[in-house]
Structures are given as structure tokens and as C-alpha cells.
Amino acid sequence: MLGLPGRRLPSAEFLLLLPFLLLLLLPAAPAPHRAAYKPVIVVHGLFDSSYSFRHLLEYINETHPGTAVTVLDLFDGRESLRPLWEQVQGFREAVAPIMAKALQGVHLICYSQGGLVCRALLSVMDEHNVDSFISLSSPQMGQYGDTNYLKWLFPTSMRSNLYRICYSPWGQEFSICNYWHDPHHDDLYLNASSFLALINGERDHPNATVWRKNFLRLGRLVLIGGPDDGVITPWQSSFFGFYDANETVLEMEKQLVSPLELLALSAHTLVLCPDTEAEGSTLWGGGLGRQRELTLSLPVSFFHAP
């Protein structure tokens, strides 16, 4: 949609990420005794649409014919500002029949705000069969930074006072306020957040135990982001890191919220971090309008998963 300040996926740059994503999602070349490739479901981000992922769809179709890829065309453009729980319900209705037909499971690729939608889906769906969930530059611990879309939506507010809007009942009607996380007003965030504080387990609710059990049905969690993100603030939010009250970033290991407990408990979860010193493959990728370097350390068996 023209005129919106959304982040688009530049064609040439995003294509650099495609071989990497396919290595995560797809097994080695099919053999007669192997099952078909698992279906891939793609969820777009804020102000985006299914059109943004046309190159991903084309690439998979060309390199792995027969793979069922569904780029969900819901909550496009301005509709992506709808409350996230409303979006979760809409996407749930869309993915349920796909999962029901995929007896061997499915893969999720979820971009930006879509990564939060997908994480909520994994929590509320009792019988989901997601094998791999790839969270692509998603603010999993929230957002606290001035960006073009925030200036467009709230032109008179800066990040230091946006909490006055976002932590009101009116503000929680906007998706971006559902994950606005002001580290200087943590008490207001915990009391007012109708989405992020719940899926993070930062506030008690009666569904917490069930959601945790549902999430643990996941086979693999893959987190992708980087310091040159340019939008997600802090960028470590893509890896469950976030600011403390002094705006010092606390990495995921120092966060005391339930997603990190889930990461520790799930033996099949794999987290990919940028710029590590571990041995692995280095990939220069674009997408989201910014360059980043990802250093991957993966067991060989991961690429040959059934």
C-alpha cells in the first residue's frame, strides 16, 4: 500500500537470505524413502502484505518443486495496526486447516510484528504441529525506539512519552502499542499491556500453564536479527534481550520471563545469534532494508532433519 511507512523487503537483498532459510526448513534432496517437504507458512509484518514475500515463494517453487508454501494474505497494510489478539485469531483460523492436512507438521516463517503473532499462535493452539518457527527480525521482547512508522502514527509523541498513549485502553487498540515496552515505566507496562506481558509470562493469567505446554510442542525456534537492523530497538529484542531501567541491554540469559525458560527446557530449540565466535557459516544478508552479518553455528544433523 502506497504512502505507508512500513519496512519493505528489497528484492535483491532478501534473496540472499533465501538459501539460508531453505537450509533450515528443508531436508536434503528427497529420496524415495523420504516424506515430502513439509508445508511452509509465511506471516508478514507491520504495514506489509503477502506481496512482500513473492520472491520467497518464487524461489522455493523453483528450487524445491512440490513444496506447499502459503503466504497468508491477512491484515495487510493499515489493517496490520489492528490489535494483535484480533490478528492472532484471524491467522489461527487460516493456519488451522493447513496444519490439519500436514500430518508431518509445518514450518513457520514470521517477519517483524508477524513473529509476535506466530509466538502467540504457538501458545494458544493446543494441537499445533509446527516443526520450525523462524522469527525474522521480530521484537520478541518489545520495542522502545523512534521509527518512521511511529512518527507517522503518533506525530506529536516521542518515545519518552509514548507510554501515555500506549498504556491506555485506547492505545492498546493499536498493534504496535501491544508490544511497546518502556523500560522506564515497567509498572505501567505490566499493568496495561494486553498482549506482550501475557505471552512473555510477565503477568499472571489463568492460561499460563496451558500456553507453556502448547509452546513446548515446537520442534525448533530460530531467531534471526542483527545490530544493523535499524528498526527493532534494541535490536537484541529479536533474541529476547532488552533494556533495563538504565537502557543497558540485558541479554536473554539475564531476562527472567517465561520465553527464556521455554528455550532452556526445549531440547529441540535452536537459537541463531549474529557475530558469534563459534565455528559456522557466515552469511551476508539483507532484507528489511538493512545489511547484517549472521554467523551460524549448526550441527550437521540439523540440515538433514526429516
Side-chain angles (χ1 to χ4, degrees):
M1 184 178 296
L2 296 177
L4 293 175
R7 296 181 289 165
R8 296 301 176 192
L9 293 168
S11 303
E13 293 182 348
F14 186 55
L15 281 173
L16 293 175
L17 277 178
L18 300 183
F20 163 64
L21 294 176
L22 288 174
L23 283 174
L24 297 177
L25 295 176
L26 304 175
H33 64 280
R34 279 204 176 143
Y37 296 131
K38 295 175 182 177
V40 177
I41 302 172
V42 182
V43 176
H44 67 74
L46 185 66
F47 294 129
D48 275 321
S49 70
S50 60
Y51 183 75
S52 302
F53 290 86
R54 64 195 184 279
H55 296 293
L56 173 61
L57 177 61
E58 293 169 357
Y59 188 91
I60 295 178
N61 286 337
E62 290 175 2
T63 57
H64 294 271
T67 303
V69 184
T70 303
V71 185
L72 296 174
D73 194 18
L74 295 171
F75 300 99
D76 297 351
R78 287 184 175 88
E79 287 299 302
S80 64
L81 288 170
R82 300 294 300 170
L84 286 184
W85 283 123
E86 179 180 330
Q87 296 191 44
V88 169
Q89 181 58 32
F91 281 108
R92 180 178 186 172
E93 294 173 0
V95 303
I98 301 174
M99 293 181 181
K101 295 178 182 178
L103 300 182
Q104 301 302 315
V106 302
H107 301 300
L108 288 180
I109 301 177
C110 308
Y111 165 55
S112 190
Q113 178 178 280
L116 291 170
V117 171
C118 289
R119 185 151 69 91
L121 283 174
L122 293 171
S123 296
V124 302
M125 296 187 73
D126 295 336
E127 300 299 327
H128 79 75
N129 58 352
V130 177
D131 182 357
S132 300
F133 164 34
I134 295 181
S135 171
L136 178 57
S137 197
S138 178
Q140 294 292 351
M141 281 295 286
Q143 168 77 5
Y144 185 66
D146 293 320
T147 59
N148 288 337
Y149 67 80
L150 283 174
K151 294 175 182 177
W152 173 79
L153 188 61
F154 305 115
T156 63
S157 297
M158 302 295 289
R159 73 169 188 168
S160 60
N161 59 23
L162 190 56
Y163 75 93
R164 300 179 187 274
I165 296 175
C166 281
Y167 296 157
S168 69
W170 173 80
Q172 287 294 300
E173 293 299 311
F174 292 91
S175 64
I176 59 175
C177 285
N178 292 158
Y179 51 92
W180 184 253
H181 191 171
D182 189 329
H184 305 291
H185 299 279
D186 205 49
D187 55 340
L188 294 177
Y189 157 74
L190 291 174
N191 289 325
S193 175
S194 63
F195 182 84
L196 186 64
L198 297 180
I199 66 170
N200 274 357
E202 296 171 287
R203 192 169 79 223
D204 291 336
H205 59 92
N207 297 316
T209 300
V210 173
W211 286 9
R212 175 179 174 275
K213 180 181 178 181
N214 291 343
F215 189 89
L216 285 174
R217 294 176 61 88
L218 177 66
R220 292 178 288 200
L221 172 60
V222 180
L223 305 175
I224 299 177
D228 296 323
D229 182 288
V231 174
I232 304 302
T233 308
W235 66 265
Q236 291 92 339
S237 181
S238 295
F239 304 104
F240 290 100
F242 205 73
Y243 293 130
D244 63 11
N246 297 317
E247 295 192 26
T248 299
V249 173
L250 300 180
E251 301 294 346
M252 67 163 65
E253 295 82 1
K254 297 182 180 179
Q255 298 290 339
L256 300 177
V257 298
S258 65
L260 306 178
E261 179 187 32
L262 297 178
L263 292 177
L265 290 174
S266 178
H268 302 294
T269 293
L270 181 66
V271 180
L272 307 183
C273 298
D275 305 326
T276 64
E277 307 230 341
E279 295 182 1
S281 304
T282 300
L283 168 76
W284 273 99
L288 328 184
R290 55 268 196 192
Q291 290 288 325
R292 57 175 169 242
E293 183 178 14
L294 302 176
T295 304
L296 313 177
S297 180
L298 303 173
V300 173
S301 60
F302 185 74
F303 296 101
H304 299 283

